[in-house]
Amino acid sequence: MTSEADLISGCLLNDRIAQRQLYDRYKKAMYTLAYRITGDFDDANDVLQDAFMEVFKHLNQFRGESTLGAWVKQIVVRKSTKKKRLVIWQNVDEYMGEGIDWGESEINTAHLETAVLSLPDGFRTIFVLAEVEGYTHREIAVMLNISEGTSKSQLFHAKRKLRAMLSAN
């Protein structure tokens, strides 16, 4: 397997094989992320294409302060949220810091994925970024240009809505 540094060097030299290897290395994870944020197959494909065009165009600006995958992920998140013209509900209710009781029952993965995709765009995006991708509320706030409190509130309400959807079945 080609190292990350070799892939970057090859891509910077416009080596099509290196570009293909870089794309192949990250395409599945990045498509999945784009789909989870956009909730639409066609939009996710558009995001993936736009993101990799930006990756190859601006790869010379990658400073190596993170892994290449983390850098690509940031681009995909930014493109995904712009694609959906994300509406974040401000001041839904004040976040109380309470956890969500998911209950004792087993949660079917496919059912959970369907429920997550049916969340309103803002709730879904925050849920995916925080709970699936592991971003902190501070990181989410910077990415989406919102406050940390808004991120926390959106996550709280996303979890509450998911709990209600999962309990209904």
Side-chain angles (χ1 to χ4, degrees):
M1 182 173 262
T2 308
S3 75
E4 187 173 280
D6 290 339
L7 277 181
I8 293 169
S9 296
C11 289
L12 290 173
L13 294 172
N14 290 319
D15 177 342
R16 298 290 182 210
I17 294 171
Q19 290 171 336
R20 182 60 189 209
Q21 287 176 340
L22 187 147
Y23 175 78
D24 286 344
R25 182 175 289 184
Y26 295 108
K27 70 181 177 185
K28 184 176 180 182
M30 297 306 140
Y31 175 82
T32 301
L33 174 59
Y35 176 68
R36 285 181 173 152
I37 292 173
T38 64
D40 183 90
F41 293 114
D42 292 333
D43 286 346
N45 279 317
D46 290 347
V47 164
L48 192 66
Q49 179 179 341
D50 292 348
F52 274 99
M53 287 174 56
E54 185 170 325
V55 165
F56 293 124
K57 182 177 180 182
H58 298 289
L59 190 56
N60 62 334
Q61 296 174 12
F62 175 64
R63 296 185 304 263
E65 295 171 355
S66 65
T67 64
L68 181 60
W71 185 73
V72 172
K73 185 185 284 188
Q74 288 281 345
I75 293 170
V76 170
V77 167
R78 188 176 66 251
K79 296 280 185 189
S80 297
T81 56
K82 285 182 182 176
K83 184 74 172 174
K84 291 306 284 187
R85 294 201 174 270
L86 199 59
V87 175
I88 302 290
W89 300 355
Q90 302 287 338
N91 304 320
V92 177
D93 285 327
E94 196 56 38
Y95 170 72
M96 303 303 290
E98 304 165 8
I100 300 293
D101 178 9
W102 294 101
E104 299 284 328
S105 62
E106 297 269 331
I107 298 175
N108 176 300
T109 306
H111 184 59
L112 176 60
E113 184 78 17
T114 300
V116 169
L117 289 172
S118 70
L119 288 170
D121 292 342
F123 286 179
R124 183 181 61 247
T125 299
I126 302 290
F127 182 85
V128 168
L129 293 175
E131 297 297 322
V132 178
E133 297 299 325
Y135 286 106
T136 66
H137 288 292
R138 177 170 294 199
E139 292 168 324
I140 294 168
V142 169
M143 277 189 269
L144 301 180
N145 196 28
I146 59 175
S147 71
E148 285 183 58
T150 298
S151 177
K152 290 175 183 178
S153 175
Q154 292 288 294
L155 180 60
F156 174 79
H157 291 290
K159 287 180 176 180
R160 188 169 70 182
K161 188 162 183 67
L162 278 173
R163 176 72 175 132
M165 285 189 281
L166 295 171
S167 295
N169 291 321

